[in-house]
Amino acid sequence: MTTATPLIIAIDGPAASGKSTLGLRLAHALDYLFFDTGVMYRAVTWLTLERGFDIDDETAITLLAEKTHIDVAPASAPDGRACDVLVEGQDITWETRLPDVDASVSRVSAYRGVRSALSRQQRRIGLRGKVVMVGRDIGTVVLPEADLKIYLDASAEQRAMRRYHEILLRGGAADYSEILSKVIERDRIDSTRDVAPLKAADDAVIIDSDQMDADAVFEKTLALCR
Ligand code: CDP
């Protein structure tokens, strides 16, 4: 029996637009692998800061991206993580969410060599199929042959509000206006960089989630899959 369910699903969009929430639910529903590519850029950024490298040192950071073994595995602890992030076998899942990483990740991910090292690994995994891959350039660069491409958007205010509530829910302290300005700054860097800028693929289905909750976005996407 043939099935019309897409084998490769790409979800792209700006920071905090709900890509991971949607991707994770979709992957569970279809019994696919969920792969959040942002964690790889975050892992390289964390390592850069951890080793005390200058964030402007493109050559050293590119070498790090090429040489470091980064792995993503199913969540090993019920602490809110979508998956485990491992660098050379060390679990750095929560380190990748530190404010310092947030503040520098877009600089690191704009480096051409970093992108080509990480995109190559992402593409190899994606081509195996039965995957929901989430990022900024999956439908445009990493897997342009994806069977279904979603571009998930929302206003910067709405996205900052969601991130604000996420932090409060985890018991952290948050400042809404600070989060908003960081979201806007990250969007600016991600969408204006020379290599693989954030944009919707021509054949992507654009979903604006400003007026939709997570359930509605999920149902709409699932309907597109079926
Ligand atoms: O979770 P959030 O949307 O805040 O960010 P993320 O998906 O974890 O991605 C963090 C950063 O990595 C983004 O701001 C991009 O600079 C970069 N990134 C990228 O350039 N390409 C991807 N495919 C995924 C992430």
Side-chain angles (χ1 to χ4, degrees):
M1 195 182 79
T2 55
T3 165
T5 305
L7 277 179
I8 301 178
I9 301 173
I11 304 176
D12 291 301
S17 57
K19 304 180 298 290
S20 300
T21 306
L22 171 65
L24 200 56
R25 277 183 78 176
L26 205 57
H28 274 143
L30 300 171
D31 200 18
Y32 279 17
L33 172 76
F34 169 68
F35 187 2
D36 177 0
T37 59
V39 301
M40 296 185 83
Y41 292 95
R42 288 177 177 273
V44 173
T45 306
W46 174 77
L47 207 56
T48 299
L49 300 173
E50 181 71 7
R51 300 246 170 118
F53 288 2
D54 185 340
I55 209 79
D56 292 323
D57 191 345
E58 182 168 354
T59 311
I61 298 174
T62 299
L63 210 62
L64 262 190
E66 286 168 350
K67 298 265 180 270
T68 309
H69 186 73
I70 303 168
D71 221 345
V72 180
S76 64
D79 59 1
R81 63 181 65 196
C83 58
D84 285 7
V85 185
L86 305 164
V87 160
E88 307 295 357
Q90 183 191 349
D91 183 339
I92 58 146
T93 308
W94 289 118
E95 282 82 349
T96 63
R97 298 284 152 190
L98 290 170
D100 284 355
V101 172
D102 259 359
S104 299
V105 64
S106 285
R107 304 265 305 279
V108 168
S109 63
Y111 294 145
R112 187 177 296 274
V114 171
R115 297 208 72 81
S116 76
L118 300 188
S119 304
R120 214 177 311 124
Q121 298 189 45
Q122 293 160 11
R123 182 167 171 74
R124 184 174 42 78
I125 295 167
L127 284 177
R128 295 180 192 149
K130 291 201 161 199
V131 67
V132 179
M133 202 175 282
V134 170
R136 300 289 188 289
D137 59 342
I138 309 305
T140 51
V141 175
V142 177
L143 292 164
E145 62 272 82
D147 306 299
L148 175 65
K149 300 178 186 179
I150 304 288
Y151 186 86
L152 191 56
D153 211 350
S155 67
E157 289 73 15
Q158 183 66 250
R159 291 182 283 122
M161 190 50 84
R162 288 181 194 155
R163 187 75 13 130
Y164 172 74
H165 286 302
E166 244 172 60
I167 297 170
L168 293 189
L169 216 67
R170 285 210 301 262
D175 175 339
Y176 169 76
S177 47
E178 197 182 307
I179 295 173
L180 177 62
S181 59
K182 284 183 177 159
V183 159
I184 292 172
E185 174 62 1
R186 202 134 63 85
D187 286 354
R188 187 190 65 72
I189 302 177
D190 289 348
S191 50
T192 58
R193 68 184 174 216
D194 289 340
V195 200
L198 167 69
K199 63 171 185 206
D202 291 341
D203 51 352
V205 178
I206 298 177
I207 300 180
D208 186 331
S209 72
D210 258 7
Q211 308 297 332
M212 293 167 87
D213 63 15
D215 285 346
V217 173
F218 172 66
E219 292 303 336
K220 183 177 167 121
T221 312
L222 197 59
L224 290 168
C225 290
R226 291 181 166 150

